[in-house]
């Protein structure tokens, strides 16, 4: 029998981990002489109580959904794609080329074009490590990490030497044409009387991210490809018995993973800055790992975890703005959440399993 | 009367909701061989692990030679004179016999005095119990039977006078098993007490003085071996009458379905595992491949099933099969009417984390009937799985339960249901009843026979000689990658097959097989018999 009910596994464990992380964070804040209650209030106020706060929270969450899904898909095939960052950088390059060099009549068409460009470039950056893993046995963790550095250097080269407008001092592309500008939440939700999401970067890409969550769910649990990916992830020997090609699954799942990571850059590049800048990914590729871990590689879990991390990002920015809590502490809090929800899973799981077993014994 | 060597009183042990041992009391007389028999999961190994200090009993007392003893860890067990020979040996492969024997029992800072002492003791032991092993041989160069002797020597070196052997014959040829039994006999004569854990009725009848039967964590009976019969023991184990012999009509073989010619297989490490074999299987017959595990049978199945490459020729219904490349995978094999119940159902045949219904289509998941547009027809598959599970008596018949939550026998029934219901021309089946309860064995054997009676060709690989003898219409024996000979089951016996399994043959046709290989086998025999 299962050691504990399914709901405990997907709800209770992350929740307890989160509470533990919050408690430890509170201690840290206490230790530097600030009030944890005030800090928490400020974070909630700043990130959730105003529409502009939500506008930031959901903007960050959009990034994390894409990169979280990317890591989750690879996880299902038992691969650890740490290269989301690099794949997203390359995705940005794809977006830039599509937006700058194709005359789009309308933003909706440009969005489709840019999605394809971002996905293709991201996938391309993931397919090389995948191929090396499948054919040569080079470990994907190592290769994807190294590809992050190569991607950064490549992006640097393109921005400085190829895409930088003449006489600009800034390693960035020119601003994208007007027709490619995506509607922001402000454009979409404000009425004549009230302006919503003032100044916030959240934009239509959020809905693409939500759609991606739904599509990934269908892919993993409702298609034969998803069936093969999960089978391969659980047991490679069994997959071989069933005639599932390890090479094919390794490459395809990394292509999907890379494409998702690449699509993150629609949000940052096309949706927010409207040009490609050097540091547009801002570490979201790595946060995606924590998001996938916390979301148990399930698209709905990734959705929730992405919003939580969006909240932490935006709330953290507010803290740095209004209190003496240094910016670095925000990183500490984020790190604690990652540590507890991702790495220390068993610390919560084992006692909880014992409790459930004890209860069940009581029933018997 | 002397105090019993081991006496357990009211031992209970639970793992969460599972009661592995329930109020077990047993008393083992010194200088006897006491068998403990029961199905997988009956609690035999748990009980012995408690005795050896791996688990702590929830309740109950242990008396060793009349004294109440606490056994918190294996060190305490050794101190109490208990030695254990595990099913999977705990030897360091690249150490010599001598080094393995002193491992953990070294005295002083330097190795040399310990080794010298062990060498002297070893020669005494060898004399006393006829336990001959070359002390300077590396473990990896020893046969399995000799490795087992090293385990026994390790226990004796630590002055054990109670020996527990857990499924000791699982990895041995019949000849090696006989040698082991001679050693055990000898140990008994010298006054050692032996507890033999097994699920094989034959061994119990052959060697034990007393036998205890376990079922579902409880000790159901303890009887004198001379006063019982295999049928009676099986009934005690399962809780109902069991048919030990397989009922079957004689075969009526039809056309040749499978032809294998000169098949050679090289494994991942570059070792030649199958060294050129020929065989045929006809429609409506079962060809049994006998042999000790690791003599190339697994590789034969892997090539036929499409997950290893091979060289040579294989024809199905007269048509060549690809042995390498794109069309040599499992999907291509299934398309050609080959179904495969693999040897290791947990690592190969099933995805343990998948639900039962997901497993009922594993390998056939690309079949268009399981699709609905671009999605899979999960509702339809679940309904079909439910029906399949009922037809194959899978318990519990819940398609949404994960495969890992079924017992070994029921897992095997899920695999069988999947493969047999595809109505294949050829069924490959490896170790059909490994880790399966006696009750389920009966059912699985009936399914195999009935598939044969429908005119299908069946290639059966099993290390259980009894199973081979009772199911097969023809028997081929594999040794070291060769087929040593073919026999009809009614014209041979375990002894003759056992010799073939050890590589001994009188047939001139087989004489040109590697002479060196045979010499090794003969040396083994001589060492064993000395």
């Amino acid at each position: 029998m299962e050691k504990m009910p399914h709901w405990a596994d997907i709800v209770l464990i992350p929740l307890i981990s989160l509470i533990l992380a919050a408690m430890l964070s509170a201690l840290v804040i206490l230790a530097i002489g600030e009030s944890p209650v005030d800090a928490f209030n400020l974070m909630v106020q700043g990130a959730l109580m105003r529409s502009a706060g939500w506008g930031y929270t959901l903007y960050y969450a959009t990034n994390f959904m894409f990169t979280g899904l990317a890591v989750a898909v690879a996880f299902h095939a038992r691969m650890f794609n740490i290269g989301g960052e690099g794949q997203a950088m390359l995705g940005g390059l794809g977006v830039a080329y599509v937006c700058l060099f194709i005359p789009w009549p309308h933003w909706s068409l440009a969005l489709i074009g840019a999605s394809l460009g971002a996905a293709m470039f991201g996938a391309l950056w993931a397919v090389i490590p995948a191929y090396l893993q499948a054919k040569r046995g080079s470990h994907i963790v190592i290769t994807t990490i190294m590809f992050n550095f190569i991607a950064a250097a490549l992006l640097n080269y393109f921005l400085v030497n190829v895409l930088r407008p003449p006489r600009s001092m800034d390693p960035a592309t020119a601003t994208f044409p007007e027709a490619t500008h995506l509607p922001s939440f402000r454009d979409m939700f404000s009425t004549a009387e009230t302006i919503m999401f003032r100044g916030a970067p959240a934009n239509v890409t959020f809905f693409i991210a939500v759609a991606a969550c739904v599509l990934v769910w269908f892919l993993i649990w409702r298609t034969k490809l998803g069936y093969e990916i999960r089978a391969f992830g659980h047991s490679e020997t069994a997959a071989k018995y069933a005639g599932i090609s390890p090479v094919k699954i390794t490459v395809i799942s990394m292509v999907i993973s890379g494409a998702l990571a690449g699509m993150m850059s629609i949000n940052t590049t096309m949706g927010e800055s409207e040009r490609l800048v050097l540091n547009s990914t801002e570490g979201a590729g790595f946060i995606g790992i924590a998001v996938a871990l916390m979301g148990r590689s399930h698209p709905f879990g990734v959705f929730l975890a992405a919003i939580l991390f969006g909240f932490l990002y935006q709330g953290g920015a507010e803290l740095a703005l209004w209190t003496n809590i240094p910016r670095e502490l925000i990183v500490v809090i984020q790190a604690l959440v990652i540590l507890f929800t991702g790495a220390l899973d068993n610390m919560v799981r084992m006692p909880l399993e014992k409790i459930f077993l004890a209860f069940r014994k009581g029933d018997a | 009367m002397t105090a019993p060597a081991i006496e357990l009183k009211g031992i209970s042990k639970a793992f969460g909701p599972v009661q592995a041992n329930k109020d077990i009391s047993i008393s083992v007389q010194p200088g006897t061989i006491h068998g403990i028999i029961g199905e997988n999961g009956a609690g035999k190994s748990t009980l012995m692990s408690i005795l050896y200090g791996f688990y702590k009993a929830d309740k109950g007392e242990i008396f060793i030679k009349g004294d109440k003893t606490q056994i918190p860890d294996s060190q305490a067990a050794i101190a109490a004179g208990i030695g254990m020979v595990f099913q999977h040996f705990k030897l360091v492969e690249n150490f010599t016999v001598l080094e393995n024997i002193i491992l953990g029992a070294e005295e002083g800072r330097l190795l040399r005095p310990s080794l010298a002492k062990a060498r002297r003791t070893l020669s005494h032991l060898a004399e006393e119990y006829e336990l001959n092993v070359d002390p300077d041989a590396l473990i990896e160069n020893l046969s399995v039977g000799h490795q087992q002797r090293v385990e026994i020597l390790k226990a004796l070196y630590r002055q054990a006078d109670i020996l527990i052997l857990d499924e000791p014959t699982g990895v041995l040829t019949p000849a090696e098993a006989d040698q082991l039994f001679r050693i055990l006999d000898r140990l008994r004569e010298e006054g050692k007490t032996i507890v033999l854990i097994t699920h094989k009725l034959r061994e119990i009848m052959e060697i034990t003085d007393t036998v205890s039967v376990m079922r579902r964590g409880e000790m159901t009976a303890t009887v004198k071996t001379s006063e019982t019969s295999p049928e009676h023991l099986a009934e005690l184990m399962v809780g109902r009458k069991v048919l030990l012999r397989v009922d079957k009509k004689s075969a009526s073989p039809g056309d040749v379905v499978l032809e294998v010619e000169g098949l050679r297989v090289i494994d991942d490490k570059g070792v030649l595992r199958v060294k050129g074999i020929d065989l045929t299987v006809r429609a409506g017959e079962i060809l049994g491949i006998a042999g000790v595990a690791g003599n190339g049978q697994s590789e034969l199945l892997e090539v036929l099933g499409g997950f290893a490459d091979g060289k040579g020729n294989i024809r199905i219904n007269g048509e060549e099969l690809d042995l390498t490349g794109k069309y040599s995978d499992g999907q291509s094999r299934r398309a050609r009417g080959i179904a495969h119940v693999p040897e290791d159902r947990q690592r190969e045949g099933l995805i343990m984390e998948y639900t039962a219904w997901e497993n009922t289509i594993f390998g056939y998941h690309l079949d268009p009937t399981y699709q609905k547009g671009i999605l899979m027809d999960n509702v339809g598959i679940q309904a079909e799985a439910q029906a399949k599970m009922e037809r194959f008596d899978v318990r519990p018949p819940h398609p949404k339960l994960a495969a890992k939550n079924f017992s070994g026998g029921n897992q095997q029934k899920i695999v069988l249901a999947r493969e047999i219901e595809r109505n294949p021309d050829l069924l490959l089946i490896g170790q059909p009843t490994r880790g399966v309860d006696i009750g389920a064995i009966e059912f699985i054997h009936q399914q195999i026979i009935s598939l044969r009676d429908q005119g299908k060709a069946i290639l059966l690989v099993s290390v259980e000689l009894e199973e081979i003898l009772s199911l097969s219409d023809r028997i081929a024996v594999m040794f070291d990658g060769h087929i040593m000979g073919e026999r009809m089951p009614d014209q041979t016996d375990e002894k003759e097959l056992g010799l073939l399994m050890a590589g001994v043959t009188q047939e001139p046709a087989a004489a040109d097989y590697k002479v060196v290989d045979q010499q090794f086998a003969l040396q083994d025999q001589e060492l064993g018999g000395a």
Side-chain angles (χ1 to χ4, degrees):
Chain A
M1 281 303 290
E2 299 285 346
K3 284 176 179 151
M4 53 183 181
H6 196 52
W7 64 266
D9 188 31
I10 56 172
V11 179
L12 214 51
I13 291 182
L15 208 63
I16 294 175
S17 304
L18 206 57
I19 292 169
L20 286 174
M23 277 160 46
L24 210 61
S25 306
L27 287 179
V28 175
I29 293 173
L30 263 183
I32 60 167
E34 295 279 336
S35 156
V37 178
D38 289 352
F40 183 70
N41 276 338
L42 194 63
M43 283 178 82
V44 172
Q45 285 289 336
L48 305 179
M49 298 314 278
R50 296 178 294 119
S51 68
W54 270 106
Y56 275 95
T57 300
L58 293 183
Y59 166 74
Y60 292 125
T62 305
N63 290 344
F64 301 151
M65 270 179 230
F66 279 120
T67 53
L69 286 175
V71 176
V73 168
F75 267 160
H76 278 292
R78 195 176 288 169
M79 273 184 296
F80 201 172
N81 177 13
I82 306 193
E85 189 78 3
Q87 288 144 18
M89 283 180 201
L90 264 283
L93 213 53
V95 171
Y97 270 98
V98 167
C99 289
L100 286 171
F101 297 108
I102 301 176
W104 296 101
H106 189 260
W107 66 264
S108 56
L109 295 176
L111 180 60
I112 296 170
S115 301
L116 288 176
M120 255 173 57
F121 273 61
L124 186 77
W125 209 241
V127 84
I128 305 167
Y131 181 82
L132 289 174
Q133 156 106 39
K135 286 284 188 188
R136 317 287 312 182
S138 320
H139 203 288
I140 203 134
V141 169
I142 311 289
T143 45
T144 50
I145 281 196
M146 295 199 298
F147 265 62
N148 285 338
F149 293 99
I150 304 175
L154 208 61
L155 187 66
N156 211 332
Y157 171 81
F158 270 94
L159 287 181
V160 172
N161 297 318
V162 184
L163 291 170
R164 183 172 51 95
R167 281 191 300 281
S168 166
M169 302 277 278
D170 193 9
T173 65
T175 303
F176 297 159
E178 189 70 32
T180 66
H181 291 185
L182 295 179
S184 67
F185 274 21
R186 177 179 172 163
D187 304 335
M188 287 188 284
F189 295 108
S190 297
T191 56
E193 300 86 58
T194 48
I195 294 178
M196 301 284 284
F197 299 102
R198 188 194 298 271
N203 58 73
V204 69
T205 320
F206 173 76
F207 299 105
I208 307 240
V210 174
C213 288
V214 177
L215 283 179
V216 166
W217 182 82
F218 270 103
L219 169 77
I220 295 293
W221 275 282
R222 284 292 180 273
T223 67
K224 52 192 175 196
L225 179 60
Y227 181 95
E228 293 197 337
I229 288 177
R230 283 182 296 134
F232 175 78
H234 284 306
S235 167
E236 194 176 333
T237 43
K240 267 165 98 177
Y241 155 80
I244 298 169
S245 156
V247 175
K248 180 184 129 192
I249 296 299
T250 304
V251 170
I252 288 186
S253 45
M254 279 302 283
V255 161
I256 296 171
S257 176
L260 284 164
M263 283 174 76
M264 182 205 109
S265 55
I266 313 169
N267 190 40
T268 55
T269 304
M270 200 177 174
E272 201 250 340
S273 60
E274 294 172 347
R275 60 186 187 136
L276 180 60
V277 296
L278 200 49
N279 186 26
S280 64
T281 52
E282 289 175 338
F286 294 112
I287 300 289
I289 297 167
V291 169
L293 280 173
M294 190 172 179
R296 297 266 175 278
S297 299
H298 190 288
F300 187 63
V302 166
F303 174 79
L304 290 181
I307 288 182
L308 172 78
F309 275 85
F311 159 74
L312 285 176
Y313 249 61
Q314 170 56 13
E318 293 282 322
L319 276 189
L321 201 58
W322 301 110
T323 68
N324 290 328
I325 299 174
R327 216 188 158 79
E328 285 68 29
L329 192 75
I330 311 310
V331 182
V332 171
I333 294 174
Q334 284 159 4
L336 282 171
V337 172
I338 295 174
L339 188 69
F340 275 90
T341 57
L344 295 180
D345 187 64
N346 272 337
M347 193 181 77
V348 177
R349 180 182 300 272
M350 306 267 253
L352 209 61
E353 277 177 357
K354 281 208 178 117
I355 293 171
F356 271 98
L357 279 180
F359 266 110
R360 198 162 300 165
K361 211 151 90 178
D363 295 342
Chain B
M1 196 173 137
T2 50
I6 308 170
E7 192 170 18
L8 304 178
K9 285 187 183 167
I11 297 279
S12 289
K13 173 76 188 169
F15 297 102
V18 183
Q19 191 75 35
N21 283 163
K22 227 180 287 178
D23 191 29
I24 288 184
S25 298
I26 179 177
S27 146
V28 178
Q29 296 306 318
T32 65
I33 299 183
H34 191 114
I36 296 184
I37 195 165
E39 298 189 323
N40 291 290
K44 305 173 301 237
S45 294
T46 306
L47 187 66
M48 289 307 120
S49 299
I50 289 170
L51 191 55
Y52 200 63
F54 282 164
Y55 298 134
K56 194 181 171 310
D58 300 337
K59 263 192 293 199
E61 294 172 322
I62 301 173
F63 295 85
I64 303 292
K65 293 164 211 141
D67 301 324
K68 188 171 173 190
T69 314
Q70 297 288 340
I71 305 180
D73 53 32
S74 55
Q75 291 298 323
I78 292 166
I82 301 172
M84 183 121 173
V85 177
F86 294 93
Q87 192 175 3
H88 301 285
F89 306 146
K90 313 225 179 269
L91 297 170
V92 184
E93 292 263 308
N94 54 354
F95 272 21
T96 64
V97 171
L98 217 50
E99 285 168 331
N100 267 288
I101 283 179
I102 63 162
L103 188 66
E106 308 92 338
E107 292 158 27
R109 287 184 187 282
L110 294 175
L111 272 183
R112 197 174 284 272
S114 297
L115 282 171
K117 185 186 158 211
R119 190 180 295 277
R120 283 193 302 276
T121 318
L122 211 57
S123 70
H124 288 307
L125 289 173
E127 233 169 86
E128 209 171 340
Y129 303 111
E130 299 179 11
L131 274 161
N132 290 301
V133 189
D134 173 9
D136 298 311
L138 289 177
I139 295 298
E140 59 194 2
N141 297 336
L142 292 181
S143 69
V144 180
H146 279 90
Q147 291 185 12
Q148 192 172 53
R149 283 186 206 175
V150 178
E151 284 283 8
I152 296 174
L153 283 167
K154 258 168 78 180
L156 294 176
Y157 183 74
R158 287 159 178 73
Q159 272 142 26
D161 41 26
I162 301 167
L163 265 183
I164 305 170
L165 294 105
D166 189 4
E167 301 280 0
T169 58
V171 287
L172 303 181
T173 62
E176 284 175 322
D178 283 344
Q179 286 166 16
L180 172 70
F181 287 166
R182 278 209 297 279
I183 292 167
L184 294 184
D185 216 18
R186 186 71 207 224
L187 287 165
R188 167 169 57 185
E189 278 169 32
E190 300 292 329
K192 305 277 182 194
T193 310
I194 292 161
V195 178
L196 180 71
I197 303 170
T198 181
H199 66 277
K200 291 183 188 165
L201 295 164
R202 198 177 66 96
E203 292 168 8
I204 291 288
M205 298 310 293
E206 203 170 308
I207 184 99
T208 62
D209 301 299
T210 323
V211 53
S212 297
V213 184
M214 288 189 75
R215 183 170 84 232
R216 292 193 194 138
E218 287 179 85
M219 194 66 89
T220 48
T222 297
V223 289
K224 280 219 172 353
T225 311
S226 52
E227 293 164 7
T228 185
S229 66
E231 288 75 19
H232 182 225
L233 286 177
E235 198 182 328
L236 286 170
M237 276 165 76
V238 183
R240 62 180 168 84
K241 283 235 181 287
V242 184
L243 205 61
L244 286 178
R245 297 297 308 177
V246 181
D247 251 350
K248 61 167 189 179
K249 299 191 292 269
S250 59
S252 43
D255 296 339
V256 171
V257 173
L258 171 72
E259 280 174 277
V260 176
E261 273 176 22
L263 179 69
R264 297 192 302 138
V265 185
I266 296 171
D267 71 4
D268 298 341
K269 291 174 189 154
V271 181
L272 188 63
R273 302 306 297 268
V274 176
K275 304 175 178 174
I277 62 171
D278 308 310
L279 54 85
T280 56
V281 188
R282 290 173 177 276
E285 75 163 353
I286 301 176
L287 174 67
I289 308 261
V292 180
N295 278 292
Q297 310 96 308
S298 306
E299 287 77 8
L300 170 65
L301 281 183
E302 281 169 13
V303 170
L304 287 170
F307 52 111
D309 289 349
K311 285 182 190 146
N313 295 77
I314 299 180
R315 281 183 292 278
I316 288 287
N317 297 323
E319 282 179 59
E320 268 324 302
L321 277 188
D322 281 359
L323 300 188
T324 53
K326 194 163 175 250
Y327 296 104
S328 71
D329 68 344
Q331 288 298 328
S332 312
R333 294 291 194 264
R334 287 176 179 84
R336 300 288 292 273
I338 303 176
H340 184 185
V341 178
E343 290 186 295
D344 189 338
R345 61 180 158 272
Q346 303 201 338
R347 286 183 61 244
E348 295 164 353
L350 294 167
I351 300 281
M352 299 303 278
E353 290 83 2
Y354 270 11
T355 56
W357 70 264
E358 283 174 304
N359 272 305
T360 57
I361 58 162
F362 190 51
Y364 303 100
H365 52 276
L366 299 179
D367 190 320
T369 56
Y370 296 135
Q371 319 293 329
K372 222 179 190 175
I374 59 163
L375 301 183
M376 293 184 89
D377 179 17
N378 287 1
V379 177
I381 299 167
Q382 281 173 29
E384 198 187 304
Q386 177 86 47
K388 264 186 208 171
M389 288 169 83
E390 275 160 20
R391 278 198 293 277
F392 275 76
D393 190 32
V394 179
R395 285 176 242 178
H398 298 159
K400 289 189 176 167
L401 211 57
K404 63 182 174 196
N405 294 327
F406 289 89
S407 72
N410 286 304
Q411 288 172 356
Q412 187 71 318
K413 286 187 204 163
I414 293 174
V415 179
L416 275 172
R418 179 180 76 210
E419 300 300 328
I420 287 181
E421 298 226 332
R422 292 300 297 196
N423 202 21
D425 292 337
L426 169 69
L427 178 71
L428 311 170
I429 182 162
Q431 318 302 346
T433 56
R434 178 186 280 168
V436 168
D437 334 318
I438 291 195
I441 290 177
E442 195 184 347
F443 180 84
I444 290 169
H445 283 175
Q446 280 164 2
Q447 292 298 323
I448 297 173
I449 299 285
S450 92
L451 192 69
R452 181 204 72 170
D453 291 344
Q454 290 165 35
K456 309 297 182 186
I458 296 172
L459 182 72
L460 164 77
V461 169
S462 174
V463 293
E464 302 280 349
L465 211 41
E466 256 177 274
E467 182 166 79
I468 292 281
L469 276 165
S470 60
L471 282 181
S472 311
D473 301 312
R474 261 184 316 131
I475 299 171
V477 182
M478 271 188 90
F479 170 73
D480 192 29
H482 300 293
I483 286 189
M484 301 306 290
E486 275 192 21
R487 297 287 184 274
M488 303 304 276
D490 48 1
Q491 292 162 17
T492 185
D493 53 23
E494 294 206 3
K495 189 156 180 277
E496 187 190 19
L497 293 177
L499 282 174
L500 288 171
M501 282 162 71
V504 182
T505 173
Q506 280 84 39
E507 276 163 73
D512 52 307
Y513 289 144
K514 277 192 178 173
V515 183
V516 185
D517 289 341
Q518 288 202 18
Q519 280 174 345
F520 269 119
L522 285 173
Q523 277 172 8
D524 246 4
Q525 290 273 311
E526 280 163 15
L527 278 170

